[in-house]
Amino acid sequence: ADGARKKRKRSRWAAETTAVLPAQQATLPPGLTPKQQKVFYLHVQIEEITQRLRTGNLGIPSDPRDRSPSPEPVYNQRGQRLNTREFRTRKKLEEQRHKLIVEAREVDPAYKAPADYRPPEIKIED
Amino acid sequence: NINNLSSLSNVARPTRILVLLNMVEPDELKDQEEYEDIMEDVSDECGKFGAIKTIIIPRPDGDKEVPGLGKIFIEYESVDDAIKAQSSLGGRKFANRTVVTSWMDVEQFNNRIFS
């Protein structure tokens, strides 16, 4: 517990000061039922991740102290590192988006996933 | 009628009352320390856009149904500041969730009618 105390206090707000998603798209329309509100939150989160993947603005903190520790590097036969931070971050975002899409489909069977969405079985490596 | 109230309190036009959604889970608000921490994060960031009169973060109360639970209500002194805050905070990340916003009718807020 003592170790946790010494940790630098970090705000829950993302380090970036501007949103990836335009505020207009994150405005809840009036008159929605609680279920419709939930669907709306899911859509906003899916869209946010989609735009990150599309634009390459992955939200990797610029301050290395804010980043998670790196795993052991993995290289291919040509000596290129495979598990770079960008690769790992993209993978994490894809996984998060997949979970949200599954949830959105459960709540709303008519939900259409973004065009660039691929279920996680397909490996994008090499 | 509850349904009428909830659609009335969430208005399309900007007001002094900015509602932040999808930021906190009821469980996170149970712990006093975590609640205070969240309150500090919210007031620090929201205060950058203008003077705030009140911040209300409803907290869980046993098994009771708490109106507005999971939402954060920010009362600004001016509509302009609330609009500035909305355009900056909407779509941003808070604790890894994407912030959704809405506007609340001032009279409903004054009467503390949350939904």
Side-chain angles (χ1 to χ4, degrees), chain B residues 19-69:
Chain B
V19 186
L20 303 174
L21 309 119
N22 199 36
M23 277 174 56
V24 285
E25 291 285 348
D27 268 357
E28 300 166 336
L29 299 166
K30 279 187 191 157
D31 182 73
Q32 180 63 23
E33 206 177 316
E34 196 165 1
Y35 165 77
E36 283 169 14
D37 223 40
I38 288 170
M39 181 61 98
E40 192 186 324
D41 281 350
V42 170
S43 72
D44 282 355
E45 196 64 28
C46 293
K48 291 178 183 168
F49 306 99
I52 291 172
K53 283 178 104 168
T54 326
I55 297 179
I56 295 178
I57 307 179
R59 295 181 71 183
D61 181 8
D63 288 336
K64 270 190 233 159
E65 188 151 331
V66 178
L69 186 61

Side-chain angles (χ1 to χ4, degrees), chain A residues 5 9-14 16-23 26-31 37 40-41 44-45 48 52, chain B residues 7 10 12 21-23 33-34 37-38 41 45 86-87 89-95 97-102:
Chain A
R5 279 259 149 263
K9 199 218 166 242
R10 257 188 4 202
S11 171
R12 289 166 177 76
W13 292 99
E16 317 128 77
T17 48
T18 48
V20 169
L21 205 65
T27 307
L28 191 75
Q37 290 188 14
F40 186 84
Y41 298 163
V44 168
Q45 307 223 73
E48 202 261 354
R52 279 188 190 280
Chain B
S7 54
N10 177 3
L21 309 119
N22 199 36
M23 277 174 56
E33 206 177 316
E34 196 165 1
D37 223 40
I38 288 170
D41 281 350
E45 196 64 28
Q86 194 273 340
S87 61
L89 301 179
R92 254 180 80 185
K93 294 285 240 185
F94 184 85
R97 304 185 192 101
T98 309
V99 177
V100 170
T101 67
S102 74

Side-chain angles (χ1 to χ4, degrees), chain A residues 51-102:
Chain A
Q51 294 204 15
R52 279 188 190 280
L53 292 168
R54 203 174 284 161
T55 59
N57 181 352
L58 302 177
I60 296 172
S62 51
D63 187 338
R65 286 183 301 171
D66 292 337
R67 297 178 190 162
S68 61
S70 302
E72 284 296 308
V74 176
Y75 299 97
N76 69 7
Q77 284 160 333
R78 281 171 295 166
Q80 288 164 322
R81 182 159 177 195
L82 295 177
N83 58 344
T84 58
R85 185 166 298 273
E86 169 162 352
F87 177 83
R88 286 182 284 122
T89 307
R90 278 188 178 275
K91 204 167 155 224
K92 212 167 96 191
L93 288 172
E94 296 274 12
E95 282 164 8
Q96 278 173 2
R97 188 168 70 154
H98 170 68
K99 267 203 209 146
L100 293 165
I101 288 170
V102 169

